[in-house]
Amino acid sequence: MYVREDEYTIARMSAEGLPGFVASGRALGGVQPGETLRLAGEWGEHPRHGRRFEVVACERLVPATVRAIRIYLGSGLIRGIGPRLAHAIVSHFGEATLTVIDTEPARLTEVVNIGPTRQAQITDAWEEQKAIAALMVVLQGFGISPLLAAKIYQVFGAESEEVLTRDPYRMIGKVRGIAFATADRVALRSGVSEESPERIKAALMDRLETASVRDGHCYMRLVALVAQTVEMIGQDHDRVRGTLDALVAERRVVVEASPDGRGPDVVYPKELHGRELRLTANLTRLCQAPSTLPMRAFQEDPGLDEDQRVAVNMALTSTVSVLTGGPGCGKSHTVRVVAATVRAMGGTVTLTAPTGKAAKRLSELTGMPAMTVHRMLAHQPDPDSGALFEQTPVRADLIVVDEASMLDLHLATRLTSAIPSGSHLLIVGDSDQLPSIGPGSVLADLLRVEAIARIRLTRVFRQAEESGIIRAAHRILAGQVPETPGGGGFWFEEIDDPGQVAERVMHLATVAIPRKQGVDPDQVQVLCPMRRGTTGTVDLGRMIQERLNPARDGVAEHWSGASVFRVGDRVMPIRNNYDKGVFNGDTATVTSIVTEERAVEVRTDDGRTVRYGFGELDELTHAYAVSVHRAQGSEYPFVVAPLVGEAGGVMLRRKLLYTLVTRARSWVVVVGSRDALETAVRRLDPRRNTGLARRLALSLGAEPRYETTPADDPHVLVPSDPDEFP
């Protein structure tokens, strides 16, 4: 079975009296192996894949024959039943099997190996599956993909159908895959008025959420928020503006003067406003606290240049400081000297980074242990819980946070809340890399505050200067197209057609580079600017998966939405899960698919086994091709990347290209059109809407610096208003 991104399902079917055939269509959404279906449609001929049945309507039936029941139960649909147990149950009850499970579940204990505990588990799973099937029918009635049924049930349980039909806006932000448009379609078809206050509130909150999740903004300008909402739902401006006031009264949003003091009022979601205030207070406390670092005379490292010596002194004398600079400029060596100096003076040091790979890399570069920020904070309560971090602070005289461009507002707030006054916080990162996936631009904001001690290392050392990767990176920063060929380390291969680009990238990653370099394909990482499209992470990742880890007879696999999980797949969590101890950007390998438990087990790169239920698999993505954003903090021996102008090339920007190139250790091969390469070099990223710099500057008795962008340069593409950026 295969599900495309537009929820168009292609499935292999078997039917009595017919040879195996392929069926396809959106009506098959949510169909699972083992189900019995009644299909309506017509036969057609696909130009590439041959004859198939195009489905226009699909009805799920209760399996009637012993064989169909055995396949259905053994497919993994019912948690607690695998193929062997399914065979035993059906052998005992025959055609009455499903009736027994549905009406007399206690009788399951008549089957060998089913005790009271297993019987209760099967009964609960059966009821859950019935509820999900009923939800699928309701969703289809609203014209909504039935693939969302399991996700809705996972959040709302027995309330799911009532929430769906009576208060669909509750699902926004809680059910992955349901945004305003989907909830609104259900609401309007259920009789909700277009002028309903709840509808307008949901639309306003959706605009704020989209600005945060898609663009990383902490706020929107009030006029832009109201205008976008008016356009989206077609309601009167005054009605929308009045509803915004109601949200303020309900304390769901905060309206205040523009942080730059030069524009109209702005609107924050309450949570982001609170985080920004708390982060400001935390940093102010740390900056103003007297140092507790034991200061003694220390021997200066003769291998440091002048800027590095200044950086070491800064970190030892300032309780909050920022060290930035590009690749090859000596940031890691400087951190190693700072940490060694603190230890030599009798102090304690904690080295940390936002992701596991970044922490491992930091440890390798400094020769000292390092951990992820999440692990460092594993036993810390969230600030919003009301508990005080100062009760259980992270005790170290020096705390170093590397790859700080990845720190979003949420993580930075948790981190600074956990640091006791008097400790030194050294924030290290490359401000020219992409900003965090989450909202905010913490590193960039700190660099705009004159009262925060900071230094930028600019000298590229000789050994690094010889790298084609570093030469290419510095040319990109200067607004120049990298030289091609770029010598050892960087290569650009010009191909215009996106389909040919995808094929070439796959060949390079799976055959050409492994063969020429004598390495395993796991040493080659494909990075993509976009998720969708021919050269996006989804389609390219699927192509590489089919080449490196295809379906094999006798090997279990599980389809989850548009993805199939197989033993041996490389995967990556896309959400932090504190219960499992896995975090966004970690990598792991699928080790087993436990059908009867409806679960996939993965082994993380640090050797731990973690289990994901089938209903949790939207927290995992395959790692055969990943976005440049998700590769931040990681370094790979070899990188291959497509660069084309699909979908207008809206992701082609200088920071993205710079971040992509600097993820490679030995070689980076970019395949695509020269126009796309030149566009990525020219186009600058818009600044995110944040108020942290101004708040912090004022709190520390200073004014923030406002950097100007070269908007008057006709060769630089930069939007005039961040709220208007696509």
Side-chain angles (χ1 to χ4, degrees):
M1 187 173 65
Y2 165 62
V3 188
R4 286 208 316 235
E5 275 298 284
D6 57 2
E7 296 170 353
Y8 185 94
T9 300
I10 303 171
R12 184 167 296 280
M13 303 284 185
S14 64
E16 292 186 12
L18 285 176
F21 66 95
V22 173
S24 60
R26 291 181 178 82
L28 290 174
V31 166
Q32 294 289 328
E35 289 190 292
T36 300
L37 311 170
R38 178 182 289 128
L39 306 178
E42 57 184 23
W43 290 99
E45 193 75 20
H46 190 277
R48 287 178 58 192
H49 303 294
R51 193 167 185 249
R52 64 172 55 172
F53 190 73
E54 289 294 332
V55 180
V56 296
C58 171
E59 180 185 355
R60 288 169 169 78
L61 304 176
V62 176
T65 67
V66 168
R67 178 176 178 274
I69 294 170
R70 184 181 296 117
I71 294 173
Y72 177 71
L73 289 181
S75 68
L77 272 174
I78 310 301
R79 187 173 57 255
I81 302 180
R84 291 183 180 179
L85 191 56
H87 187 276
I89 294 171
V90 176
S91 296
H92 186 79
F93 294 113
E95 294 181 356
T97 296
L98 299 184
T99 301
V100 169
I101 296 175
D102 196 34
T103 62
E104 301 177 274
R107 289 189 60 196
L108 285 171
T109 56
E110 297 174 14
V111 179
V112 176
N113 292 330
I114 297 183
T117 301
R118 176 66 66 86
Q119 178 263 316
Q121 181 186 26
I122 293 172
T123 302
D124 290 344
W126 176 262
E127 293 300 323
E128 177 181 315
Q129 191 58 37
K130 284 195 336 184
I132 292 173
L135 271 180
M136 286 182 171
V137 174
V138 176
L139 286 170
Q140 284 181 317
F142 287 117
I144 307 297
S145 169
L147 290 170
L148 293 170
K151 297 178 183 179
I152 295 171
Y153 189 86
Q154 188 177 3
V155 175
F156 294 105
E159 295 183 274
S160 295
E161 190 166 343
E162 182 177 356
V163 170
L164 179 64
T165 55
R166 296 191 179 185
D167 191 8
Y169 297 118
R170 277 182 63 192
M171 297 186 294
I172 300 174
K174 294 181 180 178
V175 179
R176 187 172 171 82
I178 294 185
F180 177 81
T182 300
D184 195 45
R185 189 188 315 170
V186 175
L188 293 177
R189 292 190 181 186
S190 299
V192 173
S193 168
E194 291 187 357
E195 300 177 357
S196 164
E198 293 308 312
R199 179 176 186 249
I200 300 174
K201 288 176 185 178
L204 286 163
M205 295 304 297
D206 174 77
R207 291 296 82 203
L208 286 172
E209 177 74 9
T210 298
S212 170
V213 172
R214 185 191 66 186
D215 300 321
H217 295 319
C218 294
Y219 65 78
M220 285 185 69
R221 299 193 185 280
L222 188 149
V223 291
L225 172 61
V226 172
Q228 288 184 21
T229 305
V230 166
E231 181 179 0
M232 183 170 73
I233 62 176
Q235 291 301 301
D236 177 77
H237 178 280
D238 291 341
R239 179 176 287 113
V240 173
R241 182 65 182 83
T243 305
L244 178 59
D245 290 338
L247 286 174
V248 174
E250 294 171 9
R251 297 186 178 182
R252 295 174 63 185
V253 301
V254 175
V255 176
E256 63 181 25
S258 174
D260 60 16
R262 297 178 292 183
D265 287 353
V266 301
V267 185
Y268 280 85
K270 180 172 174 47
E271 180 194 10
L272 294 184
H273 185 263
R275 295 271 179 175
E276 207 168 82
L277 291 176
R278 190 174 292 112
L279 180 54
T280 299
N282 290 341
L283 288 168
T284 300
R285 169 179 59 82
L286 294 174
C287 284
Q288 295 178 341
S291 171
T292 58
L293 182 67
M295 290 300 294
R296 301 175 187 167
F298 63 92
Q299 185 78 29
E300 285 194 353
D301 189 312
L304 298 177
D305 72 0
E306 179 59 31
D307 282 348
Q308 288 177 311
R309 283 195 289 272
V310 171
V312 171
N313 186 67
M314 172 190 73
L316 295 176
T317 57
S318 301
T319 49
V320 176
S321 56
V322 182
L323 171 64
T324 189
C329 292
K331 295 192 302 297
S332 297
H333 181 61
T334 304
V335 169
R336 180 167 61 243
V337 172
V338 171
T341 302
V342 170
R343 288 182 171 177
M345 293 190 301
T348 55
V349 178
T350 295
L351 301 182
T352 184
T355 67
K357 282 196 172 182
K360 182 178 179 181
R361 187 173 170 221
L362 176 62
S363 180
E364 292 170 350
L365 291 171
T366 61
M368 301 177 186
M371 70 181 82
T372 65
V373 177
H374 299 286
R375 296 208 186 286
M376 186 179 77
L377 302 175
H379 303 295
Q380 305 289 350
D382 189 283
D384 287 343
S385 69
L388 296 176
F389 274 106
E390 285 76 4
Q391 295 173 349
T392 53
V394 176
R395 297 199 178 280
D397 295 301
L398 171 69
I399 296 168
V400 179
V401 183
D402 197 16
E403 295 290 352
S405 62
M406 301 174 68
L407 283 179
D408 65 10
L409 184 60
H410 301 292
L411 187 56
T413 304
R414 292 194 66 212
L415 169 69
T416 54
S417 295
I419 300 175
S421 300
S423 292
H424 285 228
L425 172 62
L426 174 59
I427 298 171
V428 183
D430 186 346
S431 59
D432 292 310
Q433 286 192 25
L434 285 169
S436 57
I437 293 177
S441 52
V442 175
L443 178 60
D445 283 346
L446 291 179
L447 290 170
R448 292 170 57 203
V449 181
E450 297 282 1
I452 298 288
R454 64 196 183 281
I455 188 169
R456 177 185 292 271
L457 302 181
T458 57
R459 176 190 169 192
V460 180
F461 289 87
R462 179 186 298 180
Q463 184 177 358
E465 199 170 28
E466 295 172 355
S467 164
I469 293 171
I470 290 179
R471 286 201 304 273
H474 284 279
R475 284 185 66 86
I476 292 167
L477 288 183
Q480 301 170 349
V481 175
E483 297 171 344
T484 54
F490 178 85
W491 182 267
F492 174 69
E493 187 167 328
E494 187 172 358
I495 301 176
D496 290 331
D497 179 73
Q500 294 179 19
V501 170
E503 290 288 343
R504 180 59 175 161
V505 167
M506 180 183 70
H507 180 74
L508 285 167
T510 61
V511 179
I513 292 177
R515 180 190 297 158
K516 184 172 183 178
Q517 300 294 330
V519 298
D520 191 274
D522 284 349
Q523 298 295 301
V524 185
Q525 181 62 57
V526 173
L527 301 182
C528 304
M530 297 179 293
R531 184 171 182 271
R532 298 178 182 274
T534 308
T535 58
T537 60
V538 175
D539 284 358
L540 249 177
R542 187 178 288 124
M543 290 171 62
I544 297 170
Q545 180 191 29
E546 291 306 317
R547 173 68 63 88
L548 296 179
N549 194 25
R552 301 183 299 278
D553 290 339
V555 177
E557 63 178 33
H558 176 73
W559 281 90
S560 175
S563 302
V564 58
F565 290 86
R566 298 175 180 136
V567 172
D569 279 342
R570 291 290 289 168
V571 293
M572 176 182 290
I574 59 175
R575 236 179 281 172
N576 296 332
N577 190 316
Y578 295 93
D579 293 333
K580 298 182 188 299
V582 294
F583 304 100
N584 191 350
D586 292 347
T587 50
T589 302
V590 176
T591 54
S592 65
I593 296 174
V594 190
T595 303
E596 60 271 22
E597 298 296 330
R598 293 185 57 78
V600 170
E601 289 185 343
V602 304
R603 185 180 64 252
T604 63
D605 285 350
D606 59 6
R608 295 177 302 109
T609 296
V610 179
R611 176 173 286 199
Y612 283 85
F614 285 174
E616 300 175 303
L617 290 178
D618 62 349
E619 294 186 15
L620 289 178
T621 188
H622 288 86
Y624 294 106
V626 301
S627 69
V628 180
H629 242 129
R630 297 204 183 281
Q632 274 188 276
S634 299
E635 188 179 71
Y636 310 96
F638 304 94
V639 167
V640 184
L643 209 65
V644 299
E646 285 188 297
V650 295
M651 295 301 294
L652 298 180
R653 306 173 193 166
R654 186 179 297 174
K655 283 191 174 184
L656 181 138
L657 180 61
Y658 172 78
T659 304
L660 185 160
V661 167
T662 55
R663 296 310 89 203
R665 186 183 309 127
S666 299
W667 275 93
V668 56
V669 181
V670 178
V671 183
S673 73
R674 180 162 293 277
D675 283 348
L677 178 64
E678 292 176 351
T679 296
V681 169
R682 296 197 316 269
R683 181 183 280 154
L684 301 182
D685 288 64
R687 180 179 295 153
R688 290 182 168 185
N689 290 342
T690 74
L692 176 64
R694 182 169 178 80
R695 292 186 201 281
L696 186 56
L698 294 176
S699 181
L700 294 173
E703 281 289 335
R705 293 187 304 125
Y706 291 101
E707 299 171 1
T708 57
T709 55
D712 55 341
D713 183 344
H715 300 292
V716 174
L717 306 178
V718 59
S720 59
D721 185 343
D723 289 327
E724 297 174 359
F725 199 83

